[in-house]
Amino acid sequence: MNKVWCEKQVRFRHYLKDLRHSSGLTQRELAELLKKPQSYVSKYENGERKLDFLETVEVFEACGRYDVSQLIEAIKDPKNK
């Protein structure tokens, strides 16, 4: 995986974690909403697991937010904003 993609992955993970926090959810609470074990949330937040697009949408819905444009802005290279 190239360096740019790795950096975007990190920003993506941070965005999802911040989304969960701003929604007032713990990992356990989010996992319950997703009908997944708590380790599912922990693993994608820590980079041990990648989410596909539909899984990402499920996280957005569970957090009560659905703004893909915010996600796109969050993962852009800060030097190119």
Side-chain angles (χ1 to χ4, degrees):
M1 186 179 304
N2 70 36
K3 185 175 187 214
V4 172
W5 180 246
C6 290
E7 291 170 4
K8 284 187 177 188
Q9 257 321 105
V10 170
R11 289 191 293 272
F12 175 66
R13 292 193 337 258
H14 288 175
Y15 178 82
L16 292 178
K17 187 173 185 177
D18 290 345
L19 177 67
R20 176 177 60 77
H21 282 183
S22 68
S23 298
L25 297 170
T26 64
Q27 286 185 350
R28 185 171 308 285
E29 291 167 334
L30 178 55
E32 288 173 6
L33 292 170
L34 295 169
K35 296 180 174 50
K36 304 278 187 187
Q38 177 271 329
S39 61
Y40 174 84
V41 176
S42 176
K43 285 181 180 181
Y44 76 69
E45 286 187 357
N46 291 316
E48 295 175 48
R49 182 187 195 290
K50 290 184 181 178
L51 296 180
D52 67 23
F53 180 74
L54 294 178
E55 290 170 323
T56 302
V57 169
E58 289 173 346
V59 171
F60 278 25
E61 291 173 338
C63 288
R65 311 264 177 85
Y66 198 85
D67 191 344
V68 175
S69 62
Q70 270 187 348
L71 171 61
I72 292 168
E73 281 302 310
I75 65 170
K76 279 185 181 176
D77 185 342
K79 294 174 268 182
N80 295 330
K81 283 188 179 182

